[in-house]
Amino acid sequence: MYCNQCEQTSKGVACTTIGVCGKNPEVAVLQDVLLYALKDLAIYAIAIRKQGNLDRDVDRLIMEGLFATLTNVNFDPEALYNLINRSAVLREKLKLNLSINNPEADPVINYLPAPTLAQLIQQGKQLGFLVPSNLDPDIRSLQELLLYGLKGVAAYAYHAALLDQEDERVYAFVAESLVQIAGTDLSLNDWLQMVLACGEINLRAMELLDAGNTLSYGHPVPTEVPLGHKAGNCILVSGHDLKDLKLLLEATKDSDINIYTHGEMLPAHGYPELKKYKNLYGNFGTAWQNQKKEFANFPGAILMTTNCLQEPQEIYKDNIFSTGPVGWPGITHLQHGDFSALIAQANTLPGFSYDEDKGSVLVGFARNTVMSVADKIIGAVKSGDLKHIFLVGGCDGAKPGRNYFSEFVEKTPANSAVLTLGCGKYRFFDQKLGDIQGIPRLLDMGQCNDAYSAIQVAVALSKAFDCDVNELPLSLIISWYEQKAVSILLTLLYLGIKDIRLGPSLPAFISPNVLNVLVNTFNLKAITTAEQDLAAILA
């Protein structure tokens, strides 16, 4: 295996024997085969699109398949095998609908999957990784950057499609880019432009998801979320999918089961159409990388809706269920929003035996809420009460060095505000930083995809101050872990946002020459220490 797509990759280079995430070599091979199968499917999808035809089943399968290869999403060989076969079946269906059979298909990947899982794994070992190692190192670096960005785009497009928000441009770009990857006919600058175009299309994907969430559940409003619990049976929901949470709340609204959020589901409490359910009680635990300890201490059933799954421990393996693109061999996968097995398991478990108050945190500061007090923010800046705004957020992880982000927030001066989003906020989400003119200094804008909200706020402030976004008293300090963070970074670069500080380490797949281009063009920086970076920003 060869996997370098996440921040915690082995020795800062690549996982070659077993993934730090728990991915074994067989799963890694199947994910590689799936990428080839999706590329092959994309060739035919492009051909049929040129004839003026669309097939949403094909577009959605490409998104689902790419999503399944993200870090900490699907570890189940059977599920990956099924995705590969579904891709082949749809490819053959498209062939029948094409006036030109076999349109420029790559003969290496235009094959029928082996009839057994073991044989398919052997096929995969012959194929190797989609981006070949014999490319020019800088071309390879940009192709990998594009591939991982596409995976992030696919995750957001997948979620948006569940809420009936789709855009032909997103699907077309992903398919066309997949087909380009591994090619040798483009220049370094061509690949750089494709990478930035991926950032542009990711902005659209996040916009679609934002529209799906707000049209379905309303715009988030400031909401206090209990961190304790109350007596009774319980279900914990982790991942990212608000639709799954909505369906579960509806299915349990007349029961005595209390629903708790975990990880990136915390912002769900701010949505009016979710918070109206009385059995949505509070948040249990912190970020995804702590789930083994936290899930072991949860006395109810657990639903994992999207990525961020770790290997389930024996103590709770029978109590955890997956849905959507998530999978782990041996745990029950729920289909089509049917949560009956999950609910039944929750009713057999002891639940919490007593009430406990552990304080609360405030969520719900998406763009509508922030812009509703824009006049106060602008006034505070003009009066000098608010000197600087920091956006500190992104994906969290377990690798040493991430305490930087909590230290950074702790050391921010009292005349500054901190916007945050993603699970990176769990490093400091419960800190009490006070307020400026009644506005909390720490504002939780939501999930990682709510970077869209942060961008809209920055654009609105730049218009209010009649300046470029880069001229605002605004600094971005971003933690990254997986491929959705990659796509968001590409969006920020596409928008021309400069002076981003990224950490705790830079991506292993970015070559020194490509890094130099990003540094020279966008002044991208690696984080150093909280003290040094704060001093440099505020100088």
Side-chain angles (χ1 to χ4, degrees), residues 225-508:
V225 183
L227 298 178
H229 54 75
K230 60 181 179 179
N233 295 108
C234 49
I235 294 175
L236 184 64
V237 184
S238 192
H240 298 75
D241 200 296
L242 300 183
K243 183 174 182 179
D244 282 327
L245 177 60
K246 165 75 172 180
L247 293 173
L248 178 61
L249 288 168
E250 186 65 26
T252 57
K253 66 180 180 180
D254 297 324
S255 73
D256 60 356
I257 296 175
N258 295 313
I259 307 297
Y260 296 82
T261 56
H262 177 270
E264 285 265 56
M265 295 302 292
L266 169 61
H269 292 269
Y271 287 89
E273 289 301 308
L274 298 177
K275 64 180 295 183
K276 72 180 184 181
Y277 289 92
K278 295 180 180 179
N279 59 329
L280 178 61
Y281 178 68
N283 190 76
F284 179 92
T286 52
W288 68 271
Q289 76 275 7
N290 301 318
Q291 69 186 248
K292 290 183 179 181
K293 176 181 178 181
E294 292 171 352
F295 287 3
N297 292 324
F298 187 75
I302 302 162
L303 177 65
M304 182 61 69
T305 64
T306 55
N307 56 316
C308 299
L309 175 67
Q310 290 185 304
E311 179 181 6
Q313 303 299 287
E314 287 300 323
I315 191 172
Y316 61 83
K317 192 170 185 179
D318 291 340
N319 301 332
I320 188 169
F321 298 76
S322 64
T323 190
V326 186
W328 190 282
I331 71 172
T332 301
H333 188 79
L334 305 176
Q335 299 281 0
H336 311 301
D338 180 2
F339 299 118
S340 54
L342 172 76
I343 295 169
Q345 184 68 1
N347 282 321
T348 69
L349 295 169
F352 290 107
S353 59
Y354 59 93
D355 295 350
E356 182 175 15
D357 184 356
K358 291 186 176 181
S360 64
V361 293
L362 191 60
V363 303
F365 289 93
R367 70 181 187 283
N368 266 30
T369 297
V370 175
M371 295 317 299
S372 70
V373 293
D375 56 337
K376 290 185 178 180
I377 294 173
I378 293 166
V381 172
K382 289 181 177 179
S383 69
D385 291 340
L386 176 58
K387 292 286 190 182
H388 207 87
I389 300 172
F390 299 95
L391 174 61
V392 187
C395 299
D396 202 9
K399 189 174 180 179
R402 290 184 178 269
N403 286 339
Y404 163 94
F405 298 96
S406 53
E407 293 171 5
F408 188 98
V409 171
E410 288 171 2
K411 295 178 186 299
T412 55
N415 59 3
S416 66
V418 178
L419 305 178
T420 189
L421 48 82
C423 62
K425 64 173 160 276
Y426 279 108
R427 294 280 166 175
F428 48 81
F429 79 124
D430 54 353
Q431 289 190 24
K432 306 301 181 185
L433 299 183
D435 65 85
I436 297 174
Q437 295 186 10
I439 301 172
R441 284 190 55 223
L442 181 60
L443 303 173
D444 183 358
M445 303 197 77
Q447 297 182 338
C448 57
N449 56 282
D450 290 311
Y452 178 78
S453 262
I455 290 168
Q456 297 308 307
V457 168
V459 170
L461 289 176
S462 71
K463 291 179 179 178
F465 286 105
D466 192 23
C467 67
D468 185 84
V469 169
N470 290 309
E471 297 173 319
L472 288 171
L474 170 68
S475 299
L476 280 67
I477 298 88
I478 306 297
S479 59
W480 82 282
Y481 172 69
E482 40 88 308
Q483 297 77 64
K484 287 186 294 179
V486 172
S487 65
I488 291 172
L489 176 63
L490 297 184
T491 294
L492 297 173
L493 298 181
Y494 156 73
L495 292 169
I497 295 176
K498 297 183 178 181
D499 298 314
I500 300 169
R501 284 172 165 79
L502 185 66
S505 61
L506 296 179

Side-chain angles (χ1 to χ4, degrees), residues 1-2 4-5 14 27 54 89 106 139 197 201 249 256 278-279 321 367 379 391 422:
M1 67 179 290
Y2 181 88
N4 64 358
Q5 68 179 6
V27 168
L54 300 176
V89 168
D106 186 335
I139 297 291
I201 214 70
L249 288 168
D256 60 356
K278 295 180 180 179
N279 59 329
F321 298 76
R367 70 181 187 283
L391 174 61

Side-chain angles (χ1 to χ4, degrees), residues 2-7 9 13-15 129 140 144 148 480 483 507-510:
Y2 181 88
C3 185
N4 64 358
Q5 68 179 6
C6 85
E7 192 269 334
T9 192
V13 179
C15 295
F129 185 50
R140 176 186 171 90
E144 289 182 351
Y148 301 148
W480 82 282
Q483 297 77 64
F509 49 82
I510 293 184

